[in-house]
Amino acid sequence: MNLPNVFEANAAKLKDLHDAIHTALRRRSESPACRAVWQEACRRFHSEYDSLAFPGGLGKAFSLMEAGDPTTIEMVVGFLEADPYFVRSGYHKEVFIKHLCRNPLSEDQKERLRQVILARIRGRDRREFRAYCRLARVVTDPAFQKQVAEMAGPSRGTVPRHAQRVIDYLKSTPSKSSRHDVGHSTPEL
């Protein structure tokens, strides 16, 4: 099983576990047995969440990202490419992106992340989009900037709005509080 399939399969399991909580929730006040079913559904979801949210465990992945582990960085790039959607996945993507911005990336990883950002520009609104805009500063190159500028266009809609947000981040001065952004020049658009 390749990584995108693992991420997608795990996201589906988390969705099923979360759905089981809500199904049991509707009946939990009917009897002690129904309450026990709901409690068990909650226990299962919470006990399996860490290992299903990210292979090897979400908490461990965050620690390894903080340490700059190259294998974990590669897995995180794959996670963002797969774009699994489950409870709290947007928060986790934001944290992963923050760590990616602070770690060295190979040219291949940068190219893959540029493609991820372009896909998110074409996608629906999500809480982690601002983090992708910050990541764009780290992975940008002239061809990427040109693609984003072409997507911005004068029309209305999600794609031009998202593209313009990325352009605005690329033009803005990076925050001094971000370790990775310090010393990077602002790209010209």
Side-chain angles (χ1 to χ4, degrees), residues 114 141-148:
R114 286 190 288 269
D141 69 6
F144 173 74
Q145 291 176 23
K146 182 179 179 196
Q147 285 179 290
V148 174

Side-chain angles (χ1 to χ4, degrees), residues 8-171:
E8 292 164 11
N10 286 357
K13 288 177 189 173
L14 281 172
K15 182 185 181 315
D16 290 345
L17 290 169
H18 192 252
D19 288 348
I21 290 172
H22 287 282
T23 299
L25 176 66
R26 288 191 276 276
R27 300 189 63 207
R28 77 173 172 184
S29 61
E30 291 178 12
S31 70
C34 289
R35 183 168 190 80
V37 168
W38 170 73
Q39 288 172 327
E40 177 59 16
C42 292
R43 187 203 61 73
R44 281 196 63 214
F45 176 81
H46 291 290
S47 69
E48 295 183 36
Y49 187 90
D50 187 70
S51 63
L52 290 173
F54 196 83
L58 190 60
K60 183 177 179 184
F62 288 145
S63 296
L64 291 170
M65 281 294 291
E66 185 74 32
D69 178 66
T71 302
T72 306
I73 290 170
E74 178 59 30
M75 285 184 67
V76 166
V77 172
F79 181 83
L80 295 176
E81 286 176 314
D83 194 30
Y85 186 76
F86 54 89
V87 175
R88 299 190 53 80
S89 63
Y91 294 105
H92 305 319
K93 290 171 192 172
E94 286 178 328
V95 173
F96 281 141
I97 290 168
K98 178 177 135 184
H99 287 296
L100 283 177
C101 289
R102 295 178 178 175
N103 282 290
L105 300 168
S106 71
E107 287 306 313
D108 174 66
Q109 289 169 332
K110 287 180 182 180
E111 175 56 32
R112 290 164 51 209
L113 289 168
R114 286 190 288 269
Q115 295 309 310
V116 167
I117 294 166
L118 292 171
R120 298 311 165 261
I121 289 171
R122 292 181 197 99
R124 62 185 175 89
D125 287 325
R126 288 204 185 154
R127 71 162 287 112
E128 68 268 18
F129 188 74
R130 184 180 299 169
Y132 282 112
C133 291
R134 288 187 196 107
L135 180 61
R137 287 184 187 145
V138 176
V139 301
T140 193
D141 69 6
F144 173 74
Q145 291 176 23
K146 182 179 179 196
Q147 285 179 290
V148 174
E150 289 170 355
M151 294 169 88
S155 65
R156 300 175 82 129
T158 305
V159 173
R161 181 171 35 85
H162 284 173
Q164 189 58 54
R165 282 188 74 189
V166 171
I167 289 169
D168 292 345
Y169 269 83
L170 290 173
K171 288 180 178 180

